[in-house]
Amino acid sequence: MRIYWCPCKTFTIAWTQLFSRNSDRELYRSFCKIVGGVISPLLANIGLHGLENYIKATNPKFGVVRYADDFIVTAKDRKSLETAQDLIQAWMSKRGLELSAEKTQITSMEDGFDFLGFNSRHYDGKLLIKPSKKKVLAFCKRIGEEVKNLNGAGQEVLIRKLNPILNGFANYYKGVVSKETFSYISHRVWQYLWRWSKRRHPSKNTKWIRKRYFKTIKGNRWTFACTTSDRRRKNKELILYQIEKTTIERHIKVKGDASPDDPSLKEYWEKRHQKHGKSRFDKGSKPYKIAENQKWKCPLCGEPLFNGEEIDIHHIVPVAEGGTDDMENLQHLHKACHKQIHKTQAKSRLK
């Protein structure tokens, strides 16, 4: 079948005809719905499969990194890259594809370039990878909009809204040179929160507002936090994620073309996941000891605990039945496994 990537360019997948082809316009409309969807990267991978091997075969000295339909090629001189660009265009033309003139550029490492939200550039001959300035400013703008949209909400609602957003950004960029960026974002977040706080109490002075919304925690007098209660109605502090304190952890490249689905590499991937997990919790802390007792695996499915899935804390004896927060009563589970346990328990109670 032919999938129209744009009105006049196609690439071919040589298997079953999925749609009756009444007209090019109809088919194009059908597939416009998938652009930007979850299947879009899959189609890009199908269309560009083999590109890396082709480029390396033409010149083993080329460096190639591809993610779906975004890719970069590195070489020692501009002429080599111009040759590579012509070869790539010829390879893609056979598949009904073409390079985007708007997004394709040849640049030196002294000027740097953005790729997947990161900026790679040489500083005095040393390569530094940082968060892209464009992405950082867009992220700050998003935080500002989120805070503005919650002008009438309480502090607890605001913190619970911002924490996963800040945490997600920090996790994505903590493997590169991001310390200054995190500090900058922390300052911008503080500005948004301070304006939010003053707007709620225009007649109060600065000292009163600070005491109302900011607490002194670990020596920081400007920690945005509030007191809330847990399931046992005990008071606890809910603190805004402090992105500037995120620990930088250098990413360790996967060896060669190692795949998690290769049974012979099971031990390699387990050690890799375990090393990643050990850096997630403070050594000696309760969460660290719980994971250590589980041998860094999910007790339900037996897979490595830190395999990219979300992690939940599970009470073996439910809180509603008198279960405590003691280490012996807690487990780390994958979020899907956690839901499965509670679904099974709910069914057993109905019998």
Side-chain angles (χ1 to χ4, degrees):
M1 64 173 284
R2 288 182 179 274
I3 298 180
Y4 276 71
W5 199 255
C6 62
C8 55
K9 291 293 177 182
T10 67
F11 71 89
T12 302
I13 303 177
W15 63 76
T16 315
Q17 180 78 30
L18 294 180
F19 294 93
S20 58
R21 187 174 174 184
N22 298 327
S23 68
D24 286 352
R25 186 181 295 275
E26 229 175 87
L27 189 63
Y28 175 61
R29 279 179 187 161
S30 299
F31 281 95
C32 271
K33 295 176 183 177
I34 65 174
V35 177
V38 292
I39 199 173
S40 185
L42 171 63
L43 294 176
N45 281 331
I46 294 172
L48 296 175
H49 180 68
L51 176 62
E52 301 98 309
N53 292 336
Y54 171 75
I55 297 172
K56 296 289 284 186
T58 59
N59 188 341
K61 293 183 178 180
F62 283 144
V64 188
V65 178
R66 184 175 71 83
Y67 183 85
D69 60 342
D70 292 322
F71 60 91
I72 58 173
V73 179
T74 61
K76 288 187 176 181
D77 57 84
R78 186 182 185 89
K79 187 176 180 180
S80 297
L81 288 176
E82 289 172 348
T83 302
Q85 184 175 351
D86 294 337
L87 291 170
I88 292 167
Q89 183 58 69
W91 184 90
M92 294 177 73
S93 296
K94 294 178 182 178
R95 290 155 177 78
L97 299 170
E98 65 178 7
L99 291 171
S100 168
E102 182 185 350
K103 295 182 179 179
T104 304
Q105 61 174 326
I106 298 177
T107 183
S108 70
M109 290 304 297
E110 274 61 43
D111 297 327
F113 63 92
D114 289 347
F115 183 63
L116 301 179
F118 297 91
N119 177 264
S120 302
R121 183 180 170 188
H122 277 169
Y123 293 85
D124 296 326
K126 183 178 181 180
L127 173 64
L128 294 182
I129 302 175
K130 301 180 179 181
S132 163
K133 183 178 179 180
K134 182 180 176 182
K135 293 293 183 181
V136 172
L137 295 178
F139 179 75
C140 290
K141 184 178 179 181
R142 180 193 173 187
I143 293 292
E145 289 172 351
E146 294 287 356
V147 173
K148 186 177 180 180
N149 291 338
L150 292 173
N151 273 335
Q155 188 177 14
E156 181 179 347
V157 175
L158 181 58
I159 293 175
R160 293 192 186 279
K161 179 69 177 179
L162 295 182
N163 273 356
I165 299 174
L166 291 167
N167 196 17
F169 185 91
N171 284 337
Y172 186 71
Y173 288 106
K174 69 180 181 180
V176 296
V177 184
S178 303
K179 206 65 180 177
E180 287 185 6
T181 300
F182 290 160
S183 296
Y184 170 76
I185 291 173
S186 176
H187 176 66
R188 289 287 299 271
V189 170
W190 178 86
Q191 288 180 321
Y192 293 134
L193 296 176
W194 182 246
R195 284 201 293 266
W196 178 88
S197 303
K198 290 203 300 181
R199 186 181 184 277
R200 292 169 67 86
H201 307 282
S203 61
K204 297 293 184 180
N205 61 37
T206 300
K207 186 176 180 180
W208 187 95
I209 294 173
R210 190 194 73 78
K211 285 187 175 180
R212 173 68 176 80
Y213 293 106
F214 297 85
K215 299 179 182 294
T216 301
I217 298 176
K218 294 182 179 179
N220 184 2
R221 296 174 61 247
W222 291 94
T223 303
F224 193 73
C226 66
T227 302
T228 183
S229 57
D230 58 18
R231 288 186 289 180
R232 297 183 184 82
R233 296 183 179 178
K234 291 182 179 179
N235 289 340
K236 67 172 185 178
E237 296 292 342
L238 180 63
I239 303 171
L240 183 76
Y241 181 78
Q242 296 175 297
I243 193 170
E244 76 281 5
K245 294 186 178 179
T246 302
T247 303
I248 302 300
E249 300 170 11
R250 296 291 176 241
H251 173 72
I252 301 173
K253 191 176 181 296
V254 175
K255 292 181 179 178
D257 56 356
S259 168
D261 299 319
D262 187 346
S264 64
L265 296 175
K266 185 178 180 181
E267 186 178 351
Y268 165 76
W269 284 103
E270 283 184 356
K271 287 182 179 178
R272 184 179 175 88
H273 289 315
Q274 184 174 324
K275 186 173 182 179
H276 170 68
K278 285 182 176 180
S279 65
R280 177 165 176 166
F281 304 123
D282 294 332
K283 191 171 184 179
S285 65
K286 184 191 285 188
Y288 185 96
K289 289 179 180 177
I290 294 170
E292 194 173 36
N293 291 340
Q294 297 174 199
K295 297 181 179 178
W296 307 94
K297 292 184 178 182
C298 175
L300 189 65
C301 65
E303 292 295 317
L305 193 60
F306 301 97
N307 61 357
E309 296 183 53
E310 290 186 57
I311 305 295
D312 281 350
I313 287 283
H314 171 64
H315 289 79
I316 300 171
V317 178
V319 175
E321 298 175 12
T324 66
D325 287 334
D326 293 338
M327 198 167 65
E328 294 74 18
N329 191 48
L330 298 177
Q331 287 180 325
H332 290 302
L333 296 175
H334 295 135
K335 191 167 188 175
C337 297
H338 195 199
K339 286 182 178 179
Q340 185 179 337
I341 283 184
H342 283 286
K343 190 175 181 180
T344 305
Q345 290 176 345
K347 284 182 178 179
S348 64
R349 285 196 294 268
L350 292 173
K351 291 181 180 179

